[in-house]
Amino acid sequence: MARSRNVLCVAPRYATSFGTFDHAFHLVGARAFMPPQGLLVIAARLPASWRVRLIDENVRPVTDDDLRWADAVFVTGMHVQRDRIMRLVERAHAWNRLTVLGGPSVSACPDWYPEADILHLGELGDATDAVIARVERDVTRPPTQERYRTKHRLPLDRFPIPAYGTIDLRDYFLASVQFSSGCPFSCEFCDIPALYGHTPRMKTPQQVTAELDTLMACGSPRSVYFVDDNFVANPHAATALLPELVRWQERNGYPLVFACEATLNITKRPELLRLMRQARFTTMFAGVESPDTDALHALNKRQNLRSPILDGVRTLNAHGIEVVAGIIIGLDTDTPASYDRLIHFIDTSAIPLLTINLLHALPGTPLWDRLEKAGRILTDPGTRESNVDFLLPYPVVLDGWRRTIRHAYAPHRLYSRFQHQMHHTYPNRLAVPRRPSRADLHRGLEVVGRTLWECGVRAPYRREFWRMARSIASHADLEGFVQTAVVGHHLITYAREALDGRAEKAFYAPRH
């Protein structure tokens, strides 16, 4: 007979960034960005006889009562959450609770976490089963650390439906699902191939739609983000999934809009883009990294060299897909003139949201290996927000970052780029019948009211806000206006914090 255990699953608090929308949460009634997808899968994999309490620290902190209740504390996280992970382990040990640590950070760098009792290294698989058996047998803390490394991964088509019922979906800005894992490309700075492999692994379309059914039953989200490393890592599999998503939307009255992460080579597959439009994909994050071809060659970002980046952005816009761009500053190919070219690219592309980070080397990447061999990894960066010894002087790189941020997120420029989207992207989206419920109308009015108060009355940029509102009034695009106001508020506010030194310049830096 299986033993009952009280297991506390914790997702540590993460750092605010351009792409996490923290400053927009209060406008839409959210408390965090996206659910902790990996931890939800682990919670679903645990024995049915165990009592599971899942806490996302981005929603609420772990309390002493939570730790007192638990027999074991399961924690996961990325490098950026390293300090918070270690504090959670320390707190659990103060209650003499067994700690189990898994996820991408410890899988890449197990020696960073000597204090955790049990390390789960790698993806869901035989190591997971071994850890479950160990905790079921004994929750006593071991005298020395135990490590369990996955040798045989559980195929994605055997993954359980994430335990969405353990969270309140209303707390989140976006919901999330996973379709695939792994990426066939080898970008120098990326640790995805080392962690999850070059050969993409997929769920079945039926699994994905079953997860969407569960999401709708648990909280009726309005937006769902595919958290795949690369949605088109296997284009044929993505093409097989999309008709199922179209049929699911048709059956359910088009309740969702979808977003994803993908490489720009997606623009070479028009049949796939047509299906994405029909399925209501409206946003795509793309790792642009740099508009300079020399930089892309050096980064081994060959998928961005197959056609001009600006042409790719326009192709996506023509299918109703707004692009979110990842940008890296501090590359070896950078010159002082690179930042002027980047600013020109931002203006010309009219991409509203760009995550502009200083280069940070992640362990397990070709970039780390190359820089470590050259003695350019800073083991103690001090006050710097990157562990890379740049070829350009640090003040030059930092000034380039500041100039780019200041230019990109000046309110009038940001609003101008959103207005471009209203003219050239939003009208290209699939028109669907709109039958908002009374609850939807009530929520919409609340969001509009909070947005007008925050952006039009309290914000220091309120003059630019009202100028934008007047200029787009003729479009009668209330949804586009609200998106511009809500997302713009976060971007403008976070940019000002970053320029004032109150925010991080490298999202992957392991800082609290």
Side-chain angles (χ1 to χ4, degrees):
M1 182 176 176
R3 296 183 182 181
S4 179
R5 298 294 188 200
N6 292 346
V7 175
L8 182 66
C9 294
V10 184
R13 187 168 61 248
Y14 49 69
T16 303
S17 78
F18 280 110
T20 55
F21 300 102
D22 298 64
H23 295 297
F25 293 161
H26 69 289
L27 300 180
V28 298
R31 303 174 72 182
F33 182 40
M34 280 194 298
Q37 186 76 11
L39 202 61
L40 291 171
V41 174
I42 291 293
R45 182 71 171 175
L46 298 178
S49 61
W50 290 12
R51 291 177 291 271
V52 178
R53 183 180 297 179
L54 192 147
I55 296 176
D56 182 353
E57 282 205 314
N58 301 290
V59 173
R60 78 163 178 90
V62 172
T63 67
D64 287 346
D65 285 341
D66 294 321
L67 296 169
R68 185 185 299 112
W69 169 86
D71 295 315
V73 180
F74 284 41
V75 183
T76 185
M78 301 181 293
H79 293 325
V80 71
Q81 297 162 303
R82 180 182 175 186
D83 287 351
R84 190 63 197 164
I85 291 170
M86 292 190 291
R87 291 180 190 180
L88 284 166
V89 169
E90 182 181 358
R91 284 189 63 196
H93 286 170
W95 288 91
N96 200 32
R97 296 303 186 252
L98 178 74
T99 56
V100 180
L101 175 59
S105 183
V106 69
S107 296
C109 301
D111 292 340
W112 282 4
Y113 302 98
E115 302 302 323
D117 296 318
I118 295 174
L119 302 188
H120 178 290
L121 308 176
E123 293 184 80
L124 202 68
D126 54 353
T128 316
D129 297 335
V131 169
I132 289 172
R134 195 294 191 191
V135 174
E136 186 165 76
R137 182 175 64 252
D138 185 11
V139 291
T140 305
R141 293 184 58 202
T144 59
Q145 186 179 79
E146 299 174 12
R147 297 188 178 188
Y148 299 83
R149 184 179 294 277
T150 295
K151 295 179 181 177
H152 302 288
R153 293 181 291 210
L154 185 71
L156 257 68
D157 61 10
R158 291 174 53 197
F159 267 42
I161 292 178
Y164 295 119
T166 61
I167 59 173
D168 187 343
L169 285 168
R170 293 172 299 181
D171 287 332
Y172 293 93
F173 194 80
L174 300 171
S176 60
V177 297
Q178 181 182 17
F179 168 51
S180 68
S181 181
C183 182
F185 298 109
S186 299
C187 305
E188 188 188 40
F189 56 87
C190 183
D191 62 352
I192 293 300
L195 287 171
Y196 307 119
H198 282 288
T199 303
R201 290 161 288 121
M202 331 297 298
K203 292 179 181 176
T204 66
Q206 292 72 31
Q207 277 179 285
V208 174
T209 55
E211 290 189 23
L212 293 176
D213 288 336
T214 304
L215 277 171
M216 295 302 293
C218 288
S220 299
R222 291 163 180 79
S223 301
V224 171
Y225 198 107
F226 279 81
V227 294
D228 303 20
D229 310 314
N230 181 357
F231 184 74
V232 289
N234 183 328
H236 300 293
T239 304
L241 169 67
L242 286 166
E244 291 298 322
L245 292 181
V246 172
R247 285 189 281 272
W248 185 90
Q249 291 272 40
E250 290 172 344
R251 285 197 306 272
N252 291 279
Y254 295 91
L256 298 174
V257 294
F258 294 126
C260 68
E261 300 182 20
T263 44
L264 284 172
N265 60 310
I266 193 175
T267 60
K268 308 300 287 184
R269 295 182 175 270
E271 74 289 350
L272 196 153
L273 293 177
R274 285 194 293 269
L275 285 168
M276 292 180 73
R277 178 183 177 274
Q278 288 179 260
R280 293 194 78 198
F281 277 80
T282 60
T283 307
M284 191 187 93
F285 177 90
V288 170
E289 323 312 352
S290 171
D292 291 340
T293 55
D294 288 347
L296 297 175
H297 279 292
L299 292 171
N300 198 31
K301 191 85 179 185
R302 62 184 186 276
Q303 61 271 31
N304 283 11
L305 295 164
R306 294 180 181 177
S307 61
I309 291 176
L310 287 174
D311 287 352
V313 171
R314 293 182 184 116
T315 297
L316 289 164
N317 293 165
H319 288 82
I321 298 174
E322 184 174 282
V323 176
V324 176
I327 300 293
I328 301 175
I329 284 181
L331 302 172
D332 283 2
T333 52
D334 281 4
T335 69
S338 298
Y339 310 123
D340 291 329
R341 289 195 295 272
L342 176 56
I343 286 170
H344 177 73
F345 169 80
I346 293 170
D347 291 341
T348 306
S349 69
I351 296 173
L353 200 171
L354 307 100
T355 62
I356 305 170
N357 288 305
L358 293 183
L359 178 67
H360 189 90
L362 299 175
T365 62
L367 175 67
W368 176 281
D369 295 339
R370 177 172 67 81
L371 296 183
E372 186 178 46
K373 185 176 180 180
R376 292 177 54 202
I377 297 290
L378 302 174
T379 54
D380 182 10
T383 59
R384 294 191 180 198
E385 301 253 6
S386 170
N387 63 351
V388 174
D389 182 10
F390 302 119
L391 291 184
L392 287 175
Y394 182 71
V396 173
V397 176
L398 188 59
D399 179 67
W401 179 87
R402 292 177 62 85
R403 283 200 298 118
T404 305
I405 294 294
R406 186 179 294 109
H407 182 95
Y409 292 118
H412 68 285
R413 293 193 183 97
L414 174 63
Y415 287 149
S416 175
R417 299 198 303 275
F418 268 117
Q419 286 177 267
H420 177 93
Q421 300 301 310
M422 290 186 189
H423 284 286
H424 300 284
T425 302
Y426 303 164
N428 299 323
R429 291 173 175 170
L430 184 71
V432 299
R434 312 289 292 194
R435 297 187 185 91
S437 66
R438 184 172 296 181
D440 288 336
L441 288 172
H442 179 73
R443 179 181 179 275
L445 288 172
E446 286 185 336
V447 172
V448 170
R450 285 193 292 262
T451 300
L452 291 176
W453 172 254
E454 184 68 52
C455 303
V457 178
R458 298 185 69 242
Y461 60 86
R462 54 189 174 273
R463 288 184 180 177
E464 290 94 336
F465 171 81
W466 287 115
R467 192 175 296 119
M468 176 272 295
R470 286 192 296 272
S471 68
I472 66 173
S474 59
H475 294 296
D477 184 358
L478 180 60
E479 190 172 331
F481 166 72
V482 172
Q483 176 183 335
T484 297
V486 168
V487 175
H489 177 68
H490 166 72
L491 295 173
I492 294 166
T493 305
Y494 182 77
R496 293 185 178 195
E497 289 180 352
L499 292 170
D500 289 344
R502 293 180 285 131
E504 298 182 21
K505 303 169 185 63
F507 179 67
Y508 297 102
R511 291 168 179 255
H512 172 65

